[in-house]
């Protein structure tokens, strides 16, 4: 079917052929031509990772079944088209959960594997790949491959974080953790500057299970960078009853209905008011800050609401208007934060345009291939898609080069290949080499992989 | 409560399997490929804790030997037969090749009649038994497009009409429900430009599940198709003959 596919940031759009097989015969027995292919999950990536010019996008959403669960050994096996929300709804009543998950229930497990996503606790539990025990991969030239640490670990490593370029993930076995309760106790801890936010996040990693900050970089007054750190802890069942005042014991029933897709779908044509303009962005952020810091007391929130904060706030993405926005996400080495901020703040002040959203997350992990992983702090900025902001992000790339920063390839639609080569260095070359060894014909291609010259 | 779903692996059949499983029905799933049936069975049994069986069988097969025994051995209290499998070829305009004709007639008509006959004796005796058929709005008025498909669906619709009469005369508690389905978002319509709004198969499945136990000789699903088809059916021939619909 001819479809116009659009990235979440609306920076990239392409007319492509979209296929949506709903039975294995149509996926596995089909004589896929020699043309380029790419798997597609929910299509909620910020970048054009699941489509490209003259590439057939293969929608995997019908392959979304739960295949096996071993509560004792702590794993679940699912088809890769299942959404995090479906999985959450299944696991939570069984007092289990996926420790690492990104912030929207409509996202598929396949998408999480391919972009090796993170959640709010990677400083403890790592990124998505850390919970993968095995993958069943389909590639038209190789057939079905079973990948695990014991079997073809190199292809497994290439696939987790491989941007869908090794083939279509059919099934995956994931670690699940025991859930102490389906509610968390949350605090918003105010901070007065960006530097304080970084320091607070660093300080709180030992005390809390889930952590991220929100900062206001829309104003250029002395309050620039103020905001709050959202810190959450799991409770035991008794804690839920006694301290949080939730109506029910687990909070499971409070989980918002998992439909999400249409509300966020960037391909859907709908009215998108341009509210994040230079004039409105400041008062909007001011109100958001006031709401976030209004009540500093600890409160109980259902885990679903906490893990998926964008539910009910999908309008955020629309408020950039038809041109959309750009997100840049940078992993800054912990020891270089102070020096980084010394250069970053003047750069931003010089630029003089508001940032719509700023968040900080703590990371602890290892760098490998093209994964957004390592130790330090993830620093995210969303800006409106305008020429001045593109120039600012270009200057930021230069600054990042100076401090050994890693940019998230899955978030930034304009990131030039030169910057990526420089930042990822040997990881980039090794990924490219291994991918070519595995798939000399390079069957799986997307706009993203073309931009990155993979 | 239990059901045999013929054509359970995808589209409406899969949505029905989910909706019946959610309601606590034990299931026997039938379609032609067990690569689809196995994961579906695993999923439904894990999520809803029901007893579930599946069998890969091509309805083009002339042999139905042993099917009745296998189904009733697995579900001795079988009380619902849902004939959902269908096959349509959008390119099917004008005289078709014999093999294509046979395929359309077998899947959409012959298999339905044979499967009903196979299980009728058992279902007639069941209190709360149901035989459900998936027809199509395409069968509401003969037109040049999709002719063999529409004719086969109309044939099965007619068989359901006779069945209802037979069950009434036999004073059987078993009920029939026949649906003339409108467009659904399944592979059958994927990528096609449709004249009217399509619905998710889950919506149709919820309605069919809710209607189990009722006597429904013919119902459009969604019901607004009744208005459209009544207009189309009442168009005088001099106008209708000019329409390429
Ligand atoms: C509201 C919101 C919040 C988010 N929060 C976070 C966050 O906290 N942390 C974070 O890291 N990310 C976050 N993201 C980004 C998101 O996690 C990723 O972009 C994810 O990949 C989207 O998954 P998808 O199902 O939409 O995949 P798509 O966008 O459809 O595809 C993404 C990639 O996955 C590949 N892919 C999909 N399915 C398969 C498959 N079965 N086999 C092989 N490859 C496949 C595609 O080829 C493509 O390369 C967020 C996104 C949104 C919209
Ligand atoms: N979709 C629509 O818009 C629409 C409109 C009007 C009426 N209908 C009718 O509604 C019913 C369901 O439609 P749908 O769109 O859900 O269809 P679908 O997605 O094509 O699914 C059809 C089901 O029937 C099974 N089937 C087909 N041929 C078979 C064979 N030879 N042997 C065994 N199983 C077979 C398929 O399984 P396998 O592929 O594994 O064999 C599948 O499970 C059909 O009767 C259709 O005619 C549909």
């Amino acid at each position: 079917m001819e479809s116009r596919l659009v990235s979440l940031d609306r920076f990239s759009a392409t007319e492509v052929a979209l296929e949506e097989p709903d039975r294995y015969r149509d996926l596995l027995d089909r004589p896929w031509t020699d043309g380029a292919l790419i798997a597609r999950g929910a299509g909620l990536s910020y970048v054009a990772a699941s489509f490209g010019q003259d590439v057939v996008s293969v929608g995997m959403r019908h392959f979304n079944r739960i295949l096996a669960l071993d509560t004792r050994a702590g794993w679940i096996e699912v088809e890769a088209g299942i959404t995090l929300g479906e999985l959450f709804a299944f696991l939570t009543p069984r007092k289990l959960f996926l420790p690492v998950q990104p912030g929207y229930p409509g996202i598929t497990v396949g998408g999480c594997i391919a972009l090796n996503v993170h959640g709010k606790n990677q400083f403890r539990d790592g990124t998505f790949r850390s919970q993968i025990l095995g993958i069943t991969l389909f590639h038209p030239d190789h057939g079905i491959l079973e990948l695990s640490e014991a079997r073809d670990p190199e292809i497994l490593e290439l696939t987790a974080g491989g941007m869908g370029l090794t083939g279509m993930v059919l099934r995956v076995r994931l670690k699940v953790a025991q859930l102490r309760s389906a509610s968390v106790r949350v605090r918003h801890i105010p901070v007065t500057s960006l530097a304080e936010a970084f320091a607070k996040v660093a300080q709180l990693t030992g005390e809390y299970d889930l952590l991220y900050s929100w900062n206001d970089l829309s104003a250029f007054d002395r309050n620039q960078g103020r905001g709050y750190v959202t810190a959450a802890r799991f409770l035991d069942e008794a804690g839920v009853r006694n301290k949080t005042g939730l109506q029910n014991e687990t909070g499971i029933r409070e989980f918002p209905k998992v439909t999400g897709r249409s509300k966020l779908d960037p391909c859907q044509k709908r009215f998108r008011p341009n509210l994040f303009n230079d004039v409105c962005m400041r008062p909007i952020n001011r109100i958001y800050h006031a709401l976030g810091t209004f009540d500093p007391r600890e409160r109980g929130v259902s885990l679903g609401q906490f893990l998926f904060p964008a539910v009910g706030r999908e309008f955020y993405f629309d408020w950039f208007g038809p041109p959309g926005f750009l997100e840049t996400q940078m992993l800054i080495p912990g020891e270089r934060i102070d020096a980084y901020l010394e250069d970053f703040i003047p750069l931003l002040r010089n630029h003089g345009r508001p940032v719509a959203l700023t968040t900080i997350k703590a990371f602890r992990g290892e760098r490998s291939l093209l994964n957004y992983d390592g130790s330090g702090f993830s620093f995210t900025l969303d800006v409106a898609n305008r020429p001045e902001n593109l120039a600012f992000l270009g200057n930021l790339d230069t600054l990042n080069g100076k401090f050994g920063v890693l940019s998230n390839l899955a978030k930034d639609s304009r990131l030039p290949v030169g910057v990526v080569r420089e930042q990822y260095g040997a990881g980039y070359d090794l990924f490219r080499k291994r991918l070519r060894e595995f798939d000399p014909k390079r069957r799986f291609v997307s706009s993203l992989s073309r931009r990155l010259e993979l | 409560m239990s059901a045999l779903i013929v054509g359970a692996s995808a589209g409406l059949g899969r949505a029905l399997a989910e909706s019946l499983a959610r309601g606590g029905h034990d299931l026997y799933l039938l379609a032609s490929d067990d690569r689809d049936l196995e994961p579906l069975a695993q999923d439904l049994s894990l999520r809803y804790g029901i007893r579930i069986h599946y069998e890969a069988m091509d309805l083009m097969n002339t042999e139905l030997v042993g099917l009745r025994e296998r189904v009733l051995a697995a579900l001795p209290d079988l009380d619902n037969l849902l004939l959902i499998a269908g096959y349509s070829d959008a390119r099917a305009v004008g005289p078709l090749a014999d093999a294509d004709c046979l395929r359309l007639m077998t899947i959409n008509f012959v298999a339905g009649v044979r499967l009903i006959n196979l299980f009728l004796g058992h279902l007639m005796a069941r209190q709360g038994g149901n035989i459900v058929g998936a027809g199509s709005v395409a069968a509401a008025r003969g037109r040049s497009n999709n002719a063999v498909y529409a004719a086969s669906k109309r044939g099965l619709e007619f068989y359901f009409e006779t069945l209802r009469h037979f069950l009434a005369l036999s004073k059987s508690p078993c009920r029939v429900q026949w649906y003339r389905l409108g467009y659904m978002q399944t592979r059958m319509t994927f990528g096609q430009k449709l004249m009217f709004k399509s619905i998710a198969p889950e919506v149709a499945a919820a309605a069919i599940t809710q209607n189990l136990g009722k006597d429904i000789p013919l119902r459009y699903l969604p019901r607004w198709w009744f208005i459209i088809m009544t207009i189309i059916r009442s168009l005088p021939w001099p106008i209708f003959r000019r329409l390429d619909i």
Side-chain angles (χ1 to χ4, degrees):
Chain A
M1 175 169 72
E2 284 305 310
S3 301
R4 186 168 181 274
L5 300 185
V6 184
S7 57
L8 186 78
D9 60 11
R10 301 195 292 286
F11 190 81
S12 317
T14 312
E15 296 283 340
V16 303
L18 172 69
E19 299 281 339
E20 280 201 347
D22 67 350
R23 42 208 106 172
Y24 277 103
R25 185 186 301 134
D26 294 348
L27 188 68
L28 305 179
D29 303 348
R30 188 184 164 140
W32 293 104
T33 56
D34 272 348
L37 302 170
I38 192 76
R40 180 169 165 86
L44 292 177
S45 287
Y46 287 73
V47 296
S50 64
F51 60 90
Q53 189 83 48
D54 300 321
V55 176
V56 177
S57 287
V58 184
M60 301 292 287
R61 71 185 177 101
H62 292 295
F63 300 96
N64 65 342
R65 291 159 286 214
I66 297 168
L67 305 174
L69 172 72
D70 188 330
T71 37
R72 279 242 193 109
W75 57 256
I76 187 164
E77 195 169 314
V78 294
E79 289 178 313
I82 195 167
T83 64
L84 297 176
E86 287 163 335
L87 210 43
F88 184 89
F90 175 76
L91 289 174
T92 315
R94 292 166 177 80
K95 295 207 183 329
L96 296 167
F97 83 122
L98 273 190
V100 183
Q101 37 192 336
Y104 200 67
I107 290 168
T108 68
V109 163
C112 293
I113 296 168
L115 298 186
N116 184 31
V117 299
H118 58 266
K120 299 166 179 57
N121 52 340
Q122 47 292 329
F123 56 92
R124 289 201 170 170
D125 299 302
T127 50
F128 202 83
R129 62 183 166 148
S130 65
Q131 59 195 10
I132 298 174
L133 294 171
I135 281 178
T136 306
L137 182 74
F138 172 66
H139 185 294
D141 299 338
H142 295 292
I144 292 179
L145 302 173
E146 298 294 342
L147 312 175
S148 67
E149 278 307 322
R151 258 171 99 174
D152 290 323
E154 281 206 350
I155 305 171
L156 177 70
E157 196 190 5
L158 203 60
T159 300
M163 292 169 267
L165 304 180
T166 56
M168 305 175 204
V169 176
L170 303 178
R171 291 187 282 274
V172 56
R173 185 175 285 192
L174 296 168
K175 280 185 214 161
V176 288
Q178 294 291 334
L179 191 58
R180 275 176 277 157
S181 85
S183 295
V184 286
R185 208 158 78 201
V186 182
R187 260 187 84 189
H188 284 178
I189 302 156
V191 290
T192 54
S193 69
L194 213 48
E196 192 190 342
F198 276 105
K200 205 52 148 193
V201 169
Q203 180 203 328
L204 297 175
T205 48
E207 290 174 46
Y208 285 89
D209 298 315
L210 305 144
L211 208 57
Y212 64 97
S213 84
W214 177 88
N215 299 86
D216 182 2
L217 289 183
S218 67
F220 290 84
D221 52 18
R222 61 194 172 78
N223 289 326
Q224 194 185 32
R226 70 182 175 165
Y228 54 90
V229 176
T230 303
R233 267 192 212 118
F234 286 101
L235 293 175
D236 49 33
E237 290 294 345
V240 177
R241 270 197 299 276
N242 300 337
K243 294 182 188 153
T244 67
L246 281 177
Q247 290 303 303
N248 66 70
E249 282 182 29
T250 60
I252 292 164
R253 273 159 286 165
E254 294 184 11
F255 181 61
K257 204 164 177 284
V258 189
T259 46
R261 193 181 147 96
S262 60
K263 279 195 185 163
L264 206 54
D265 187 358
C267 307
Q268 206 182 65
K269 285 190 186 145
R270 59 169 174 262
F271 174 62
R272 295 187 166 95
N274 192 348
L275 291 176
F276 282 138
N277 53 56
D278 286 3
V279 179
C280 299
M281 211 183 276
R282 282 162 209 180
I284 292 173
N285 269 271
R286 210 165 291 163
I287 294 169
Y288 194 77
H289 178 259
L291 292 173
T293 49
F294 169 69
D295 183 1
R297 279 176 306 178
E298 241 175 20
R299 66 208 152 84
V301 172
S302 77
L303 183 63
Q305 279 168 348
F306 187 82
L307 289 179
F308 305 129
V311 173
R313 293 177 187 164
E314 290 86 352
F315 55 81
Y316 166 78
F317 299 94
D318 286 343
W319 281 10
F320 287 95
F325 66 103
L326 281 159
E327 178 160 311
T328 190
Q329 190 165 61
M330 304 154 286
L331 186 53
I332 309 169
E335 68 284 2
R336 297 197 174 167
I337 290 294
D338 294 339
Y340 185 85
L341 288 180
E342 267 177 37
D343 281 12
F344 171 79
I345 289 172
L347 184 73
L348 182 67
R349 282 191 174 271
N350 241 350
H351 169 54
R353 303 261 173 210
V355 173
L357 178 110
T358 309
T359 64
I360 299 166
K361 289 176 178 175
F363 261 66
R364 192 165 57 220
E366 282 190 17
R367 284 182 64 158
S368 83
L369 300 179
L370 292 178
N371 287 292
Y372 185 70
D373 205 347
S375 291
F377 295 90
S378 176
F379 183 39
T380 308
L381 306 175
D382 282 7
V383 293
N385 174 16
R386 298 167 50 155
E388 313 85 86
N389 285 333
L390 276 163
F392 166 66
L393 295 180
N395 292 333
L396 201 53
D397 291 339
T398 314
L399 180 71
N400 290 339
K402 225 170 107 182
F403 289 94
V405 168
L406 218 50
S407 298
N408 192 344
L409 312 182
K411 295 289 172 75
D412 192 336
S413 280
R414 46 103 245 154
L415 201 63
V417 60
V419 173
V420 176
R421 276 181 194 269
E422 189 192 313
Q423 292 188 354
Y424 285 82
Y428 176 89
D429 296 333
L430 188 60
F431 181 89
R432 209 165 172 277
K433 179 172 158 278
R434 282 207 202 152
L435 187 60
R436 278 178 167 59
E437 281 166 6
F438 172 67
D439 180 12
K441 290 195 206 152
R442 286 289 295 105
R443 301 282 306 259
F444 289 85
V445 175
S446 65
S447 291
L448 172 67
S449 75
R450 285 197 179 123
R451 173 162 53 81
L452 302 184
E453 297 176 8
L454 296 169
Chain B
M1 293 178 303
S2 58
L4 165 62
I5 305 177
V6 181
S9 63
L12 176 61
R14 179 174 161 185
L16 269 166
E18 162 109 31
S19 129
L20 290 170
R22 196 181 304 121
H25 285 78
D26 291 329
L27 297 177
Y28 200 103
L29 311 177
L30 210 93
S32 72
D33 195 342
D34 54 13
R35 286 176 299 180
D36 299 309
L37 292 171
E38 187 184 3
L40 181 61
Q42 288 167 330
D43 179 82
L44 297 178
S45 81
L46 272 169
R47 283 199 289 152
Y48 302 110
I50 54 161
R51 273 191 305 154
I52 191 152
H53 309 266
Y54 63 90
E55 178 171 336
M57 196 188 83
D58 189 344
L59 294 178
M60 293 299 291
N61 282 350
T62 45
E63 294 292 322
L64 292 177
V65 179
L67 179 67
R68 182 178 187 278
E69 289 68 29
R70 288 192 296 279
V71 173
L72 293 181
L75 301 177
D77 298 333
L78 177 77
D79 34 30
N80 298 299
L81 168 62
L82 294 100
L83 294 165
I84 305 304
Y87 166 71
S88 152
D89 186 346
R91 297 161 303 161
V93 181
L96 296 179
D98 188 45
D100 294 336
C101 255
L102 188 65
R103 186 166 185 83
L104 283 162
M105 291 189 295
T106 308
I107 297 173
N108 294 307
F109 174 65
V110 178
V113 174
R114 295 177 74 203
L115 284 163
I116 290 171
N117 291 350
L118 214 55
F119 291 98
L120 189 59
H122 170 85
L123 290 168
M124 275 178 72
R126 298 289 305 165
Q127 195 66 40
N130 294 283
I131 304 174
V132 179
S136 169
V137 291
R141 182 166 187 181
R143 62 198 172 101
S144 72
N145 289 339
N146 231 351
V148 182
Y149 168 77
S152 309
K153 287 287 186 196
R154 186 65 170 258
L156 193 59
E157 184 176 313
F158 192 87
Y159 193 69
F160 265 72
E161 200 178 323
T162 61
L163 196 63
R164 180 168 176 249
H165 191 218
F166 173 72
L167 291 170
L169 285 180
S170 323
K171 301 205 169 17
S172 160
C174 181
R175 298 272 178 268
V176 298
Q177 289 124 49
W178 178 260
Y179 295 96
R180 277 190 187 166
L181 295 158
Y183 299 136
M184 288 182 291
Q185 292 142 16
T186 66
R187 188 179 72 172
M188 223 176 242
T189 57
F190 184 74
Q192 288 181 29
K193 283 218 163 71
L194 303 173
M195 255 191 299
F196 299 100
K197 202 170 130 48
S198 60
I199 58 166
E202 289 76 15
V203 174
I208 293 172
T209 307
Q210 209 174 12
N211 288 338
L212 284 177
K214 294 183 188 162
D215 174 37
I216 300 180
L218 189 158
R219 178 171 294 177
Y220 285 95
L221 192 62
R223 289 178 97 154
W224 47 261
W225 274 97
F226 172 76
I227 300 168
I228 293 165
M229 293 326 294
T230 306
I231 294 169
I232 289 179
R233 278 163 55 87
S234 55
L235 286 176
W237 173 244
I239 297 173
F240 189 70
R241 67 193 285 261
R242 289 187 171 80
L243 299 180
D244 185 12
I245 50 172

